[in-house]
Amino acid sequence: LFLRNADNEDLEYFDTLEKNIVGLIGFFDLDPNRVMDVILDAFETNCNKLLYIRLVKTFRTDSLPHILGLKFQNYTKSNHSRLKGISTVTAHLIKNSLITLNDLWPHLSPADHEIHDLLPLRLAKGKELYDSAIKLRIGGDQESRDRATKEENDRRDVLTKGHSGNQKLALLEALVRINDWKHARIILKFLDYKVDITAYPDLPSSLITLTRWMIEPIYRPLSNSRFFKNPKLIVPDVPFSGLEVERAQITDIAKVPTELLQILGFMGCHLWRSPLVMSQICVLLTHGMKQSLFDERTQLAVKKIIRDCLLPSLTLTECNSGLSAQIWNLLQCFDCGQRYEFYENWLAKGKFQSGLLYDRTGRDIKMTRERIKRISEENIKPTGRLLGKLTHSNPPLVLDVISSQIK
């Protein structure tokens, strides 16, 4: 309560508060660990008040892993906001070196193998949806078709439903949100990078926010939008205090691919959630390639971003001709042989990255076949426009289906 309205830089007020708390502990012979527990509870409801960090530093931190471990163990899965608060407090403590991930990790749930198993499970469900979509159905009454549709929707729910009670991914999301990429990478190493980021609902948006914040100063001069020419533009709120564990904003366009590769490589196809950031990345990479600002090593990073992130993400976007045009402008910076290498990988391996890609690929094949069957002399123009909309997201797949039908 005392810190709720205090400024983070109000050191005089903090010194007074510290003396009062120490005096209360001595006068009433209070248990310091219990006092620490109360302070962490208060910090949990005011995560933006970093004076709590200074207050925690006045205590011995040996018992912090056990106190936080009990808080995580007593967490109820029905209270998502409580988990987010605990995770944010823990992330701040880790970022300020008051606790280590090695000490806390055994207290968190679920087990590592359960997180590992989630990725192949979703891939399997996506493969089932893919096989179901491309299977030719002959006849059948309305009831059987409705049953098949319901089964598909149930399997699709497994692909899109997040698990807000995953404490390890909640901590990972909190570290990304407060710009502590160093410790976020340590968690990824603990999990062998076998993480489906959609398993925790807020993780993709936090990664996208961090990416947008990193490229904002270098993208602003290149943007033709009056929105980005406005000097009062509010950028995403990402904390930066110059600590070694933090990612900094990019000021040299030659460093854009290598600086973003770690984050985008982890995100993969899930960048589709923000067409705006996809567009900004395309503009930056296109400018760097056309101006010959990238060396050979940096160009390899550009190719990896295109192959593993931009093209799979485009598959999952709804019809967006503008975004498709920007990706094409980037692809034009490469020779014909390299472009066809991108297309071949997109068509042959793109769907293996995620269950969502499996599902979307199957649906695109199904819709393309249905629209080809309905082509006639009377409706060739509207049907052609519908096929054209599908090619905005996955042109190699649509053209492959059309050519196979012609054969």
Side-chain angles (χ1 to χ4, degrees), residues 17-61:
L17 179 63
E18 181 185 4
K19 291 177 182 178
N20 290 340
I21 291 177
V22 173
L24 288 170
I25 292 174
F27 186 82
F28 291 102
D29 192 23
L30 301 176
D31 179 3
N33 289 338
R34 177 56 186 150
V35 175
M36 172 86 80
D37 188 34
V38 173
I39 291 172
L40 293 177
D41 283 339
F43 191 9
E44 188 181 322
T45 59
N46 297 274
C47 294
N48 60 327
K49 298 296 182 183
L50 299 186
L51 277 176
Y52 284 104
I53 297 292
R54 296 178 180 175
L55 195 57
V56 171
K57 287 180 179 179
T58 62
F59 293 80
R60 291 186 60 179
T61 56

Side-chain angles (χ1 to χ4, degrees), residues 143-160:
E143 184 179 350
S144 61
R145 289 196 296 269
D146 291 342
R147 191 185 310 113
T149 302
K150 184 179 183 302
E151 290 175 356
E152 286 185 8
N153 291 334
D154 290 341
R155 287 196 292 266
R156 192 165 288 123
D157 287 340
V158 176
L159 298 178
T160 57

Side-chain angles (χ1 to χ4, degrees), residues 5 19 56 67 166 180 233 252 258 312 326 352 391 394 401:
N5 298 318
K19 291 177 182 178
V56 171
I67 295 173
N166 193 316
D180 185 353
L233 171 68
D252 183 0
T258 52
Q326 287 189 323
F352 300 133
T391 60
N394 201 339
V401 173

Side-chain angles (χ1 to χ4, degrees), residues 94-304:
I94 292 171
K95 185 177 181 179
N96 288 272
S97 303
L98 294 175
I99 185 176
T100 66
L101 276 169
N102 286 328
D103 292 335
L104 184 65
W105 197 251
H107 297 280
L108 303 179
S109 63
D112 292 357
H113 70 86
E114 293 184 33
I115 299 177
H116 294 163
D117 294 343
L118 188 59
L119 188 59
L121 172 65
R122 294 192 172 192
L123 281 172
K125 293 294 183 183
K127 180 68 165 55
E128 290 176 10
L129 287 166
Y130 172 82
D131 293 338
S132 175
I134 65 175
K135 187 185 300 181
L136 295 176
R137 293 190 177 91
I138 303 175
D141 56 14
Q142 184 63 39
E143 184 179 350
S144 61
R145 289 196 296 269
D146 291 342
R147 191 185 310 113
T149 302
K150 184 179 183 302
E151 290 175 356
E152 286 185 8
N153 291 334
D154 290 341
R155 287 196 292 266
R156 192 165 288 123
D157 287 340
V158 176
L159 298 178
T160 57
K161 185 179 179 181
H163 299 275
S164 58
N166 193 316
Q167 297 174 2
K168 292 178 178 178
L169 295 187
L171 180 57
L172 173 61
E173 185 274 330
L175 288 167
V176 171
R177 180 160 29 89
I178 67 170
N179 194 10
D180 185 353
W181 184 248
K182 177 183 177 181
H183 290 105
R185 285 189 66 195
I186 292 174
I187 290 182
L188 293 176
K189 288 181 181 178
F190 284 168
L191 299 172
D192 298 326
Y193 291 89
K194 297 176 182 178
V195 179
D196 186 344
I197 66 173
T198 59
Y200 186 74
D202 296 335
L203 183 54
S205 60
S206 294
L207 288 164
I208 288 170
T209 300
L210 178 61
T211 304
R212 183 181 172 193
W213 175 81
M214 288 175 62
I215 64 177
E216 192 275 334
I218 198 72
Y219 173 76
R220 187 188 291 246
L222 299 177
S223 173
N224 294 322
S225 171
R226 289 181 295 175
F227 178 73
F228 283 96
K229 301 296 182 183
N230 182 4
K232 297 181 179 180
L233 171 68
I234 299 175
V235 299
D237 184 19
V238 174
F240 179 74
S241 54
L243 296 177
E244 184 182 351
V245 299
E246 295 178 327
R247 300 305 298 266
Q249 289 185 302
I250 304 171
T251 55
D252 183 0
I253 196 169
K255 297 181 180 179
V256 168
T258 52
E259 289 289 323
L260 292 183
L261 183 58
Q262 287 184 356
I263 299 176
L264 296 181
F266 174 51
M267 289 183 64
C269 65
H270 300 290
L271 188 62
W272 72 272
R273 295 167 180 266
S274 179
L276 172 63
V277 175
M278 285 182 65
S279 172
Q280 292 175 351
I281 292 172
C282 288
V283 169
L284 292 173
L285 298 183
T286 303
H287 179 77
M289 291 295 295
K290 288 183 176 180
Q291 299 297 321
S292 302
L293 301 176
F294 300 150
D295 57 23
E296 185 175 350
R297 174 174 172 269
T298 307
Q299 288 187 28
L300 289 176
V302 174
K303 293 176 183 178
K304 189 170 179 61

Side-chain angles (χ1 to χ4, degrees), residues 329-347:
N329 289 336
L330 175 58
L331 293 176
Q332 283 182 304
C333 300
F334 298 91
D335 58 49
C336 182
Q338 181 61 59
R339 290 203 300 270
Y340 272 90
E341 186 178 330
F342 286 138
Y343 301 151
E344 181 182 6
N345 184 82
W346 191 6
L347 181 62

